[in-house]
Amino acid sequence: MINFKKVYIIAEAGVNHNGSFNLAKKLIFEAKKTGADAIKFQSFNADKLAIKKTPLAKYQKKKISQISTHYQMLKKLELSELEIRGLNKFAKKLKIDFISTPFDVNSAKLLNSLNVKYFKTASPDLSDYYLHKYLSSTNKKVIISTGMSNVSEIKKCIKFYRKKNIILMHCVSSYPAPDESLNLKCLSILKEYSSQVGYSDHSLNNTAAIIAVSLGAKVVEKHFTLNNKMRGPDHFFSLNPNKFKEFVDQIRTAEKMLGEKKKECQKIETEIKKISIKSVVAYKNLKKGEKITLNNICLKRPNSGISGFDVKKIVGKKLNKNIKKDQSVKLSDFVN
């Protein structure tokens, strides 16, 4: 069962290796230094993923030169089986989780043979019958992105799975995603369908991810690059190593601030509690045998006597000693 106790942070390298195995290794190395829990790539065969006339998205056209189709872009960004195996081995050596999004069953089978901890599916593949049928058969934990979908489509996808085996990721499939599109409140809807929820962040700042964590997201991913000026479809809206380190640090700070679902006096509050909370004192000089009324006592600091919650419990009781004005009244001061 997926049950992340702390937020699981994924550095989404995706295709930011630009087709270079050495660059991909460098991404793993730098991701580890940022404090990310996992590095994620993409596993696909361009011939199985897109027909050759599939056009580029507008944001891709702006960032890629001398390529006219989506297929051509994918072909240049493929990682071979040997490279995937090598990257997984390198990640294990550095003790950072290796994840790669499979876009077809054969890619998923390769990743399964590497005994990856988690599968992660992309938003466009929510409707891929063959992929989800296979992934569910492995009984491994699957993190499912839900960009571009509605609740009805999500329900169709998760019929393959047991609720405890999935994490649904809120995602807005726009690169980048403007603030007004983020719709983070829908995390509460996703909680109805999976054991935990997450957020795949395509915004241009860290605020959205921090809000998502405050709303219960236990997995957060953000695109990761070595340099925003590199040529490629995703570099421009990704975080470089320094920025990703800030991202991780801010998520961890948010976790500390959120604390636990309980309300009690904390250790750091005890000193102030002893001083600043009021307790019962004599409003004036009181004599032995005098009855306590609401008019001859009051509440003042410090917290050294009877609590204000218990005032009515002592009204009508007789004192067994004289008490001076502002002296703390205690339970031992009364006639039994």
Side-chain angles (χ1 to χ4, degrees):
M1 175 178 177
I2 296 178
N3 186 18
F4 292 114
K5 292 184 179 179
K6 70 169 189 172
V7 176
Y8 188 74
I9 302 175
I10 302 172
E12 162 64 305
V15 294
N16 282 344
H17 50 75
N18 288 357
S20 165
F21 177 71
N22 288 333
L23 191 59
K25 286 181 69 177
K26 180 70 172 173
L27 282 160
I28 296 173
F29 181 78
E30 293 296 331
K32 174 64 178 179
K33 286 167 59 178
T34 69
D37 296 297
I39 179 81
K40 186 170 80 68
F41 295 96
Q42 295 179 2
S43 296
F44 59 84
N45 180 317
D47 292 301
K48 293 181 179 179
L49 184 53
I51 62 173
K52 293 185 178 180
K53 292 183 180 180
T54 303
L56 288 167
K58 286 183 180 179
Y59 82 94
Q60 294 168 343
K61 288 179 182 178
K62 294 178 182 178
K63 299 297 175 180
I64 305 175
S65 60
Q66 300 177 335
I67 290 179
S68 58
T69 69
H70 188 73
Y71 170 82
Q72 288 175 329
M73 178 191 73
L74 293 173
K75 201 66 181 171
K76 285 183 175 292
L77 296 173
E78 284 179 338
L79 290 171
S80 69
E81 177 178 335
L82 188 62
E83 288 171 327
I84 290 289
R85 290 185 181 276
L87 294 176
N88 177 60
K89 186 176 180 180
F90 185 64
K92 282 185 177 179
K93 182 179 178 181
L94 295 184
K95 296 183 179 179
I96 182 172
D97 289 347
F98 175 83
I99 302 175
S100 188
T101 296
F103 285 81
D104 58 77
V105 173
N106 285 342
S107 295
K109 286 181 176 179
L110 168 61
L111 294 170
N112 196 34
S113 74
L114 299 178
N115 199 29
V116 293
K117 276 188 180 180
Y118 314 112
F119 285 114
K120 165 73 171 61
T121 62
S123 292
D125 287 339
L126 193 74
S127 61
D128 190 325
Y129 172 88
Y130 305 97
L131 181 61
H132 289 287
K133 187 173 186 291
Y134 171 74
L135 293 180
S136 63
S137 74
T138 69
N139 204 32
K140 282 202 170 183
K141 303 164 177 101
V142 184
I143 302 168
I144 301 172
S145 278
T146 61
M148 304 176 287
S149 69
N150 57 40
V151 171
S152 174
E153 291 165 333
I154 292 169
K155 285 181 178 179
K156 290 176 184 177
C157 173
I158 63 176
K159 282 182 179 179
F160 288 101
Y161 301 94
R162 290 183 294 172
K163 184 176 180 179
K164 67 179 183 179
N165 275 0
I166 59 172
I167 283 184
L168 293 177
M169 297 279 281
H170 174 48
C171 174
V172 177
S173 298
S174 179
Y175 309 92
D179 290 352
E180 62 271 18
S181 72
L182 299 181
N183 195 31
L184 293 168
K185 286 185 177 180
C186 81
L187 282 165
S188 63
I189 297 173
L190 298 185
K191 286 179 182 179
E192 298 175 25
Y193 303 103
S194 64
S195 58
Q196 291 183 325
V197 295
Y199 177 54
S200 183
D201 187 14
H202 297 148
S203 71
L204 289 178
N205 55 58
N206 298 342
T207 305
I210 292 168
I211 294 172
V213 169
S214 74
L215 293 173
K218 298 301 289 186
V219 177
V220 173
E221 72 172 355
K222 189 102 167 171
H223 277 74
F224 179 61
T225 183
L226 297 179
N227 190 325
N228 297 102
K229 294 182 180 179
M230 295 176 74
R231 298 296 296 177
D234 298 341
H235 293 287
F236 77 101
F237 66 89
S238 302
L239 297 183
N240 63 36
N242 288 337
K243 292 294 185 182
F244 203 92
K245 176 69 166 59
E246 290 178 11
F247 177 72
V248 171
D249 289 346
Q250 288 177 17
I251 294 293
R252 297 301 177 216
T253 299
E255 281 185 289
K256 288 178 186 177
M257 291 178 174
L258 286 168
E260 301 176 67
K261 196 174 182 179
K262 62 181 182 181
K263 177 60 181 168
E264 61 185 13
C265 179
Q266 299 184 55
K267 287 183 179 180
I268 60 168
E269 298 178 297
T270 53
E271 181 185 356
I272 300 298
K273 184 174 185 177
K274 289 177 183 178
I275 295 170
S276 63
I277 292 181
K278 301 168 186 173
S279 60
V280 177
V281 299
Y283 181 73
K284 60 181 182 177
N285 290 334
L286 301 178
K287 294 180 180 181
K288 181 179 178 179
E290 190 171 347
K291 282 186 178 181
I292 295 296
T293 71
L294 289 176
N295 295 321
N296 61 14
I297 57 170
C298 63
L299 294 169
K300 289 187 180 182
R301 295 175 178 178
N303 183 16
S304 58
I306 296 169
S307 167
F309 291 125
D310 297 325
V311 166
K312 285 199 171 183
K313 293 181 181 179
I314 62 173
V315 170
K317 289 193 173 185
K318 291 182 179 182
L319 293 168
N320 61 20
K321 60 190 285 188
N322 294 334
I323 296 181
K324 294 180 180 180
K325 180 181 178 181
D326 282 344
Q327 185 178 335
S328 178
V329 178
K330 300 180 179 177
L331 290 175
S332 60
D333 296 336
F334 298 104
V335 175
N336 290 330

